[in-house]
Amino acid sequence: FKEARAVALNDLEAAVLVTPPDPEWPSGILSVQVHEIRDLSVKTMGKERKGGKGREGEKGQDEGEETAEEGEGLPSSYCTIALNDELVYETRVKPITSSPMFNAGTERFVRDWRKAHVTVTVKDSRLRENDAVLGTVFLKLSEAFVNASEVTRSYSLEKGLGTGRIRISLLFRPVDAKLPPNLLGFDTGTLEIRDVSVRSGLGDLSKCEVRLKTTTAEAEEKVSRKTAEKRGDQIVWSPDGLTKLPVRQRYASALLISFRDKSGFKSSGRKALGVLWLRDIVDRAEGPVEISLWRAKDGDYSRLKLNYVPPDGDLAYWDSDKEKVERIGSVSLDLVFWPGISEKHHEMLGGAGAKKRAAWDEYHRQKDAGFRDAIGELSAQIPEDHHASESHETQARDGEQQAPGQTDKTMTGGPVNTQEGDDEDARQDEEAHGTNTIVSADDVEVESQADAEPEEGDDTSIGEGSQGDTDGGKKRGVVGKLKEWRQHEKELHRDHRGIMQAKPARTAEWLKDNIEEGAHAVKDRFKMKAREPDVETEV
């Protein structure tokens, strides 16, 4: 503390430099600032490398030679900042320099710093070709805030076409709010549904097809009526595979479970509707969730789609419109919400052409580097002898303000799936007391609330794959080899290898992407969609 006090302006700033965030207060304001990049250069290879000078670190090159700050072939770099897989900030372009000075950043509210991550991507703004990714820095906040609530470090650029070291500052300031576990999750994720079961007095629902859709996306999944079977007083739809729905703006969206009669040649309309607001579930919590099943008396379900419906079906907060809907039963869903972007989000990415390609390129680079193995896991690196503590003033204030067991059912009633997963409530765990201890990153113990799960879209097991190759014969072997070749080709092109090492090929790709963006802009003119805000940039 004495060393920190020598460089800080007051005792509070000195405490920030030596005190990690308290896990009891997971919500707060996160400040991310990008200062500068040193020795930034672009790897040259193939045809662009012929006749040019070698790079530092190659055979016959002077390793002590420093990169010139200005000169031909240097990148025009800019940085993008993403928080929990959502792009939140973009800096200006610093033209033709190996030591760009940015000193730009942003502040965002973080629901749970123990699960959050920040991704800083450095790109090269190029003329008549798509912007190249020079490098990525992936920061898990639980690993960064081990000894302090403010961290300023230099990180090496990874998984890109460039080399260099970027200097980044992170500062977390907690707020006096202890949210229930269902409000501490990610805004982006994948909803995985295993089966759907209904308990209702209407016997004709067994002839219905189940349609699953979120209110903030166009993607829709169908469960055929052929999979329906009666089990006692329930009707269960069990699809062959898992039903996955991509989700963005999770806390503003609801899952709609529609039952439509498809027994005849024509669909006879919606028979019933179940609504589950995704704010009521906990990330990574697997298990059944029971909600109410509704039928509109006049056939108009718009009120159920646009207004919050509690899982228990209590419409006491509604006005006279609650008389227009009738509860006819309950729906049980076996589901889980996986935080973070996945393969299913490809169609949901905004824009087209180069914009969509760039977002997907960043995802694959992070996945190949192993950054996405523990996305959204509730973990915190803390010393073994560390215990959270509160001041007497905070304890007294909590005792005056909080009344245990008294919550509003429609707003803070807690999750509906708390069997497993990240169901640790921020209002709990107030028994231990102690002092903070400064330790190194190697002498910490990782506390995790969930086991590592396989990444969305990955193969289930090696054994199944080998068995499939044996059963498929030569045809499956040829198809598999073709897929592997195309995947390898994409990886080469991503790093400007293969045919993409020539500038004419990259220019041709840039022209194709511009045509796609133009067509996408024309289509958006005729769509009834609300405008989305642009990414925050420097003024």
Side-chain angles (χ1 to χ4, degrees):
F1 180 81
K2 292 182 179 180
E3 296 179 358
R5 186 64 182 88
V7 297
L9 298 178
N10 49 49
D11 291 342
L12 179 59
E13 290 190 6
V16 169
L17 296 176
V18 297
T19 307
D22 196 332
E24 288 185 22
W25 306 93
S27 303
I29 306 298
L30 177 67
S31 174
V32 184
Q33 188 169 16
V34 179
H35 297 287
E36 61 178 350
I37 305 177
R38 289 294 182 183
D39 299 329
L40 180 62
S41 60
V42 181
K43 301 175 185 177
T44 54
M45 57 195 67
K47 296 181 179 180
E48 294 183 352
R49 185 173 159 187
K50 292 181 179 179
K53 295 181 180 180
R55 294 180 57 256
E56 180 181 344
E58 295 180 346
K59 293 182 179 180
Q61 302 301 316
D62 185 7
E63 295 184 356
E65 182 181 356
E66 296 184 357
T67 305
E69 291 192 6
E70 296 182 359
E72 186 178 356
L74 294 177
S76 298
S77 59
Y78 66 96
C79 300
T80 60
I81 301 174
L83 176 62
N84 292 342
D85 295 337
E86 288 292 336
L87 184 63
V88 297
Y89 192 77
E90 184 176 310
T91 68
R92 293 178 180 175
V93 176
K94 304 299 179 181
I96 314 176
T97 178
S98 64
S99 301
M101 304 286 291
F102 296 102
N103 289 326
T106 183
E107 291 185 346
R108 286 293 187 275
F109 176 76
V110 176
R111 296 185 180 91
D112 192 347
W113 67 269
R114 301 167 296 178
K115 298 185 289 184
H117 65 271
V118 174
T119 307
V120 179
T121 305
V122 182
K123 297 184 179 181
D124 183 11
S125 179
R126 298 190 173 183
L127 185 64
R128 295 189 181 90
E129 63 177 276
N130 294 331
D131 295 348
V133 176
L134 299 179
T136 301
V137 176
F138 184 88
L139 302 174
K140 193 94 157 90
L141 298 188
S142 60
E143 299 174 359
F145 297 134
V146 176
N147 294 323
S149 298
E150 181 180 5
V151 178
T152 301
R153 293 176 185 168
S154 294
Y155 302 89
S156 298
L157 298 179
E158 298 179 292
K159 293 298 176 180
L161 301 179
T163 59
R165 294 184 63 81
I166 182 172
R167 193 162 175 261
I168 303 173
S169 291
L170 300 175
L171 171 62
F172 180 78
R173 293 169 290 178
V175 297
D176 190 1
K178 293 187 177 181
L179 304 176
N182 56 303
L183 297 182
L184 297 177
F186 276 38
D187 218 23
T188 302
T190 303
L191 191 63
E192 185 179 287
I193 303 170
R194 279 73 181 263
D195 56 40
V196 181
S197 59
V198 173
R199 183 183 285 107
S200 174
L202 296 179
D204 57 346
L205 290 180
S206 59
K207 302 178 182 179
C208 292
E209 175 187 72
V210 181
R211 297 188 181 182
L212 305 171
K213 184 181 181 299
T214 58
T215 55
T216 56
E218 298 180 356
E220 184 181 49
E221 296 289 340
K222 300 179 182 179
V223 181
S224 175
R225 62 184 178 89
K226 297 180 180 179
T227 62
E229 58 178 346
K230 291 187 177 181
R231 299 178 185 174
D233 60 344
Q234 291 185 343
I235 305 174
V236 181
W237 287 262
S238 299
D240 297 333
L242 298 175
T243 303
K244 298 181 180 180
L245 288 172
V247 177
R248 298 186 77 175
Q249 301 176 353
R250 171 257 192 100
Y251 288 98
S253 62
L255 174 66
L256 305 179
I257 305 100
S258 302
F259 296 87
R260 294 180 178 271
D261 190 0
K262 301 288 288 186
S263 57
F265 292 101
K266 265 188 172 182
S267 174
S268 58
R270 183 181 287 113
K271 294 290 185 180
L273 179 69
V275 182
L276 171 64
W277 284 84
L278 301 183
R279 63 172 294 280
D280 293 324
I281 61 177
V282 181
D283 291 5
R284 310 176 72 90
E286 303 182 51
V289 174
E290 187 171 352
I291 60 175
S292 301
L293 184 64
W294 304 92
R295 180 174 63 181
K297 296 180 180 179
D298 55 357
D300 184 13
Y301 291 88
S302 59
R303 186 67 189 267
L304 286 170
K305 295 179 183 178
L306 300 177
N307 293 270
Y308 177 74
V309 180
D312 57 1
D314 184 11
L315 301 183
Y317 292 87
W318 281 32
D319 53 15
S320 58
D321 284 350
K322 62 184 178 183
E323 301 175 359
K324 299 180 181 179
V325 294
E326 176 188 4
R327 183 177 179 181
I328 59 175
S330 62
V331 182
S332 180
L333 302 169
D334 186 8
L335 55 79
V336 59
F337 182 83
W338 300 111
I341 197 172
S342 68
E343 299 284 349
K344 284 288 184 178
H345 287 80
H346 185 266
E347 298 299 328
M348 291 187 67
L349 295 177
K355 187 176 180 181
K356 193 170 187 177
R357 185 193 301 276
W360 208 236
D361 180 29
E362 294 177 20
Y363 166 75
H364 279 291
R365 289 181 185 275
Q366 297 174 21
K367 186 177 179 180
D368 294 342
F371 295 150
R372 310 197 61 82
D373 294 342
I375 292 295
E377 284 192 4
L378 182 59
S379 60
Q381 292 191 355
I382 59 176
E384 296 182 0
D385 58 346
H386 170 78
H387 298 284
S389 63
E390 284 184 321
S391 63
H392 297 290
E393 293 81 6
T394 307
Q395 293 176 354
R397 187 166 64 250
D398 289 345
E400 294 174 0
Q401 291 184 356
Q402 292 186 0
Q406 301 296 327
T407 56
D408 183 0
K409 291 183 179 181
T410 62
M411 298 304 295
T412 57
V416 294
N417 57 342
T418 57
Q419 290 79 4
E420 297 177 7
D422 299 340
D423 56 353
E424 179 179 342
D425 197 328
R427 293 172 292 189
Q428 300 174 356
D429 191 19
E430 300 181 358
E431 300 177 355
H433 299 275
T435 57
N436 294 319
T437 307
I438 298 179
V439 295
S440 63
D442 299 331
D443 300 330
V444 295
E445 177 184 1
V446 179
E447 296 183 355
S448 179
Q449 292 293 113
D451 297 332
E453 298 289 342
E455 181 69 27
E456 301 292 337
D458 290 351
D459 295 333
T460 55
S461 65
I462 299 177
E464 294 179 2
S466 59
Q467 183 179 1
D469 293 340
T470 305
D471 298 339
K474 293 183 179 180
K475 183 177 179 181
R476 192 176 185 108
V478 172
V479 174
K481 290 181 179 180
L482 180 61
K483 290 182 178 180
E484 290 180 1
W485 175 79
R486 293 189 63 182
Q487 180 66 25
H488 179 63
E489 188 182 40
K490 289 180 180 179
E491 293 176 359
L492 290 178
H493 292 177
R494 192 187 310 153
D495 293 333
H496 288 187
R497 296 176 181 268
I499 192 174
M500 287 300 169
Q501 64 185 328
K503 184 174 176 59
R506 301 196 297 269
T507 303
E509 184 183 50
W510 171 76
L511 288 173
K512 180 179 73 69
D513 290 341
N514 279 353
I515 294 174
E516 291 181 2
E517 289 179 356
H520 186 269
V522 172
K523 289 182 180 179
D524 281 349
R525 290 288 184 180
F526 300 96
K527 288 184 178 180
M528 299 295 292
K529 286 185 177 180
R531 293 185 60 185
E532 296 183 359
D534 295 332
V535 179
E536 181 187 356
T537 57
E538 294 183 64
V539 179

